[in-house]
Amino acid sequence: MNVLFLTLLDFTSIQEHTIYTDLLREFHKNGHHVYAVSPVERRKQSMEQVFETPEGKILKLSIGNITRTNLIEKGISTLQIESRFIQGLKRYFGQVRFDLVLYSTPPITFGRVVEFVKKRDGARAYLLLKDIFPQNAVDLGMLKKSGLGGILYRYFRKKEKKLYQTSDTIGCMSQANVDYVRKQNPWIDPKKVEICANSVQAIDMGVDQKTRERIRRKYQIPLEQKVFVYGGNLGKPQGIEFFIECLRQQEKDLGVYFLIIGDGTEYGKLKEYITREKPEHVTLMKRLPREDYEAMVGACDVGLIFLDHRFTIPNFPSRILSYMQAGLPVLAVTDVHTDVGKVITEGKFGWWCESNSTEAFGKAVQAACGSDLEQMGNAGFRYLAENYSVEDAYRVIMRHWE
């Protein structure tokens, strides 16, 4: 069958390793024809074009700036997404009739696009729910439910409901996500909300001792200390101010080191902290070559997850999967509503503490330093293979055709 994937993820090859491209390759492997719309933001000044690959066709659609920009520009660009995607589908994939349309949040403004494909082609619509907006923005104080901000909240809440209504099935990241969606939207048929977890190919991304030493020396990361690595977005959802407080609290512990690789709207706060206080136990990098990044993660000892403690929605960061692939145990520092900490601790491949106590963080770091990290990392990889393999996600989606 013909499968259409709608996303804001910017990619040019289905061979890349992400939760979405891994899933698309699984569809291709099982004989389906894959089409994807992957936009390019205006600031990159790229030509609009279609990439034809052995695994499928990718439309690089030009849109406004959504990431790494101010709230006003992000809002305007988000509002224009639906019309841009519909125009792109008509122009570049107008002769293709789709059987299945997959799409992820963010954004929640895909409703009209999905409705267009369903009406034109009779396609089935499957939502991969990765972000619960606008409530997440309310949690972080970026939107308000009253006053002038309430107008925006009600608009986006209407869009959210429209997306849920248009979707034939809503695949959630975890049981906590399923419970939340059902409770906050009692009008939804509970049977159409299910778990379709973040999933990847269960590839062993661990490194040997020689590679471990080489990559650490290359980037001047100490060999003798336990290295806690954070890789990914550095934005408001990560609670960067609390992250910095945790780093300060660990300054006197000579046995631990923190490596942060990422970018985002809050990167400047971390950069300012390091420039001003010059901590000797922290390295901050915006990016690394992909091969070096993957080797570096595998060369560290513990993977870090940070989420702001104000969240009332149950986030489940996909970043955890790359740590599990690399054989790293995970320390999750989050709010109490996500069940990622429960998964980690019950799976015996890491630790959890609430993201409002530097003392609790310090105790979790010490617990990690006193544990058999190799054994726990191996347990994490086994848990990944048993629970988060892309084959499982494919079967969850395809059983609606059986």
Side-chain angles (χ1 to χ4, degrees):
M1 65 183 184
N2 291 328
V3 178
L4 173 65
F5 177 56
L6 309 174
T7 182
L8 288 185
L9 181 68
D10 184 359
F11 64 94
T12 56
S13 171
I14 299 176
Q15 282 298 323
E16 294 179 21
H17 289 290
T18 71
I19 58 175
Y20 302 120
T21 49
D22 281 10
L23 180 59
L24 295 181
R25 283 200 307 279
E26 188 65 21
F27 271 95
H28 170 74
K29 187 178 79 174
N30 283 276
H32 305 290
H33 302 287
V34 174
Y35 299 78
V37 181
S38 167
V40 181
E41 295 180 48
R42 184 187 301 115
R43 67 168 177 271
K44 295 186 178 180
Q45 299 180 335
S46 297
M47 278 186 56
E48 195 166 275
Q49 59 185 309
V50 175
F51 285 94
E52 294 199 29
T53 73
E55 297 80 21
K57 295 184 178 181
I58 305 170
L59 167 58
K60 301 303 297 181
L61 186 70
S62 177
I63 64 169
N65 296 323
I66 299 288
T67 62
R68 301 174 192 172
T69 186
N70 61 71
L71 194 59
I72 293 176
E73 184 178 21
K74 179 176 182 177
I76 293 172
S77 298
T78 300
L79 294 177
Q80 296 173 339
I81 284 176
E82 286 179 308
S83 58
R84 290 293 301 123
F85 269 64
I86 291 173
Q87 290 168 8
L89 287 171
K90 288 179 177 179
R91 180 177 180 183
Y92 295 98
F93 295 153
Q95 303 305 311
V96 183
R97 291 299 175 261
F98 298 105
D99 303 288
L100 167 65
V101 53
L102 295 169
Y103 43 101
S104 61
T105 57
I108 47 91
T109 51
F110 273 152
R112 281 203 301 121
V113 189
V114 175
E115 197 170 50
F116 165 75
V117 177
K118 287 185 67 175
K119 184 177 181 179
R120 188 191 70 175
D121 302 346
R124 186 175 184 87
Y126 197 104
L127 170 60
L128 300 165
L129 189 66
K130 310 299 184 186
D131 181 72
I132 299 176
F133 181 85
Q135 183 57 47
N136 60 356
V138 172
D139 290 345
L140 298 180
M142 298 168 68
L143 273 183
K144 295 186 181 297
K145 292 185 177 181
S146 59
L148 183 61
I151 298 174
L152 275 176
Y153 169 80
R154 288 189 292 274
Y155 173 80
F156 284 120
R157 176 61 171 147
K158 183 178 179 180
K159 284 287 187 181
E160 180 190 20
K161 289 181 177 179
K162 176 66 173 178
L163 189 65
Y164 294 166
Q165 182 181 21
T166 305
S167 303
D168 294 300
T169 311
I170 301 173
C172 297
M173 298 180 288
S174 69
Q175 186 60 50
N177 277 253
V178 170
D179 295 341
Y180 182 90
V181 171
R182 288 174 175 171
K183 181 178 180 180
Q184 299 299 321
N185 305 276
W187 52 271
I188 297 177
D189 181 354
K191 293 181 181 179
K192 83 180 221 177
V193 186
E194 65 184 14
I195 296 176
C196 185
N198 293 334
S199 302
V200 291
Q201 282 187 293
I203 301 172
D204 185 354
M205 301 293 286
V207 301
D208 57 27
Q209 186 63 27
K210 183 178 179 180
T211 302
R212 176 187 176 94
E213 293 177 3
R214 176 188 62 79
I215 200 71
R216 284 205 190 187
R217 285 197 178 97
K218 180 176 180 179
Y219 291 99
Q220 299 179 344
I221 305 301
L223 295 173
E224 68 281 0
Q225 291 170 286
K226 301 294 185 187
V227 178
F228 290 70
V229 60
Y230 177 89
N233 185 49
L234 297 170
K236 290 188 180 298
Q238 284 68 50
I240 298 302
E241 291 180 0
F242 177 74
F243 194 170
I244 292 171
E245 288 302 313
C246 289
L247 295 174
R248 283 197 182 105
Q249 190 248 16
Q250 292 296 312
E251 286 180 0
K252 295 181 180 178
D253 190 340
L254 301 179
V256 300
Y257 196 90
F258 295 89
L259 173 60
I260 304 167
I261 309 170
D263 197 5
T265 58
E266 303 295 286
Y267 174 88
K269 291 183 178 179
L270 276 162
K271 183 67 174 177
E272 181 184 357
Y273 154 67
I274 290 174
T275 301
R276 184 180 64 250
E277 301 185 26
K278 296 179 173 55
E280 296 182 355
H281 68 308
V282 182
T283 290
L284 173 65
M285 302 178 182
K286 262 196 175 181
R287 61 185 62 85
L288 286 176
R290 184 171 186 84
E291 185 176 338
D292 280 9
Y293 174 79
E294 292 175 349
M296 180 60 82
V297 171
C300 293
D301 298 290
V302 178
L304 289 171
I305 297 290
F306 270 84
L307 288 173
D308 194 294
H309 80 281
R310 293 174 292 174
F311 274 124
T312 63
I313 61 166
N315 294 291
F316 202 101
S318 60
R319 179 59 50 188
I320 188 177
L321 302 180
S322 63
Y323 298 148
M324 297 167 78
Q325 283 180 309
L328 298 190
V330 182
L331 169 53
V333 189
T334 76
D335 58 274
V336 297
H337 294 94
T338 176
D339 52 355
V340 66
K342 179 181 178 182
V343 168
I344 290 169
T345 53
E346 291 186 354
K348 301 186 186 307
F349 59 93
W351 309 265
W352 173 83
C353 69
E354 192 173 350
S355 54
N356 63 357
S357 169
T358 58
E359 182 180 356
F361 176 77
K363 290 180 178 178
V365 168
Q366 290 306 307
C369 290
S371 300
D372 186 334
L373 299 180
E374 183 177 357
Q375 181 181 21
M376 296 188 77
N378 290 338
F381 184 80
R382 289 195 300 272
Y383 196 96
L384 170 77
E386 294 169 3
N387 297 276
Y388 300 135
S389 75
V390 72
E391 292 86 357
D392 291 335
Y394 172 79
R395 283 193 291 269
V396 167
I397 295 169
M398 287 304 298
R399 69 187 177 193
H400 297 285
W401 274 263
E402 293 175 355

